[in-house]
Amino acid sequence: GDSVTQMEGPVTLSEEAFLTINCTYTATGYPSLFWYVQYPGEGLQLLLKATKADDKGSNKGFEATYRKETTSFHLEKGSVQVSDSAVYFCALSPVGASGSRLTFGEGTQLTVNP
Amino acid sequence: KAGVTQTPRYLIKTRGQQVTLSCSPISGHRSVSWYQQTPGQGLQFLFEYFSETQRNKGNFPGRFSGRQFSNSRSEMNVSTLELGDSALYLCASREPGQGETQYFGPGTRLLVL
């Protein structure tokens, strides 16, 4: 079945540091890929998405590129802020199937210190 | 547009009781999905409803059920609660044909004592 693997956390960075959170997936066909972010006590917010190979999703300084050859969708940000502290989830959704269900990675806790 | 809303936000129940959670999707969205989030198992798909029909079901026991109404609002029910059902229950909505993106509500935090 489908699966998503994220790099183990937690990740602690200083403000303005470079961020990479690795995400790899296993799925048949060409799934859509997503990054969601969860702030304490809240639900999930869509951060960015990509629906086909070589697509780059971007939002709020975060970027991720859909790499079919390496089945990866790594999240990057050039300069993190304290306000980026949250849990980040990589997810996939199969395309072409009846209905839609997201398969999530384990989540990566990011803490950014001033 | 208003986002996905879930009620109640917090709930405390005891083992053996049943509980009903409610979700109102974004206006115009006809698909509603439910997910369970726990520290041990992470985020797991429960089921999806579209136009009042269950389209997809995750690997949960029959104690977990749901339904959708003609206005696309959805409820999920858990009967005979167990301690392990303590979790954050998240609802997400989408409109098929507008892409695969699901938009999540704030969740209902259920504590079973």
Side-chain angles (χ1 to χ4, degrees), chain A residues 16-65:
Chain A
E16 299 183 2
F18 184 84
L19 168 71
T20 299
I21 301 178
N22 290 336
C23 170
T24 58
Y25 68 90
T26 301
T28 54
Y30 294 85
S32 293
L33 301 174
F34 305 86
W35 277 99
Y36 282 90
V37 59
Q38 185 174 37
Y39 297 98
E42 298 185 11
L44 301 177
Q45 296 180 24
L46 176 68
L47 183 58
L48 53 84
K49 68 177 182 180
T51 58
K52 60 183 187 295
D54 300 325
D55 264 2
K56 177 185 282 189
S58 61
N59 185 29
K60 300 181 182 178
F62 291 90
E63 293 182 340
T65 301

Side-chain angles (χ1 to χ4, degrees), chain B residues 9-105:
Chain B
R9 292 293 310 277
Y10 304 93
L11 208 47
I12 300 176
K13 293 287 188 179
T14 56
R15 279 180 299 174
Q17 287 187 311
Q18 75 166 10
V19 67
T20 299
L21 312 182
S22 180
C23 171
S24 292
I26 292 172
S27 177
H29 286 193
R30 292 175 290 167
S31 167
V32 173
S33 297
W34 289 89
Y35 295 82
Q36 181 196 63
Q37 185 178 23
T38 60
Q41 299 298 316
L43 280 153
Q44 294 185 287
F45 172 80
L46 281 155
F47 29 65
E48 180 195 10
Y49 285 86
F50 175 73
S51 292
E52 302 179 64
T53 301
Q54 186 179 90
R55 295 183 74 177
N56 251 322
K57 189 177 192 313
N59 189 26
F60 279 82
R63 299 185 297 107
F64 291 82
S65 63
R67 60 177 176 168
Q68 188 179 32
F69 302 94
S70 58
N71 62 358
S72 295
R73 189 177 70 85
S74 176
E75 290 181 344
M76 68 163 281
N77 183 275
V78 188
S79 62
T80 320
L81 283 166
E82 300 177 359
L83 297 180
D85 296 333
S86 295
L88 180 67
Y89 290 90
L90 293 163
C91 164
S93 77
R94 73 182 184 105
E95 175 53 26
Q98 293 182 6
E100 300 298 319
T101 303
Q102 296 189 33
Y103 297 91
F104 284 80

Side-chain angles (χ1 to χ4, degrees), chain A residues 30-105:
Chain A
Y30 294 85
S32 293
L33 301 174
F34 305 86
W35 277 99
Y36 282 90
V37 59
Q38 185 174 37
Y39 297 98
E42 298 185 11
L44 301 177
Q45 296 180 24
L46 176 68
L47 183 58
L48 53 84
K49 68 177 182 180
T51 58
K52 60 183 187 295
D54 300 325
D55 264 2
K56 177 185 282 189
S58 61
N59 185 29
K60 300 181 182 178
F62 291 90
E63 293 182 340
T65 301
Y66 190 141
R67 301 287 187 200
K68 181 64 177 174
E69 64 277 10
T70 55
T71 61
S72 65
F73 194 54
H74 305 320
L75 182 68
E76 297 182 335
K77 187 176 185 182
S79 176
V80 294
Q81 306 300 311
V82 172
S83 57
D84 294 327
S85 298
V87 181
Y88 292 80
F89 292 93
C90 184
L92 69 81
S93 178
V95 177
S98 173
S100 179
R101 60 188 291 171
L102 286 166
T103 298
F104 287 91

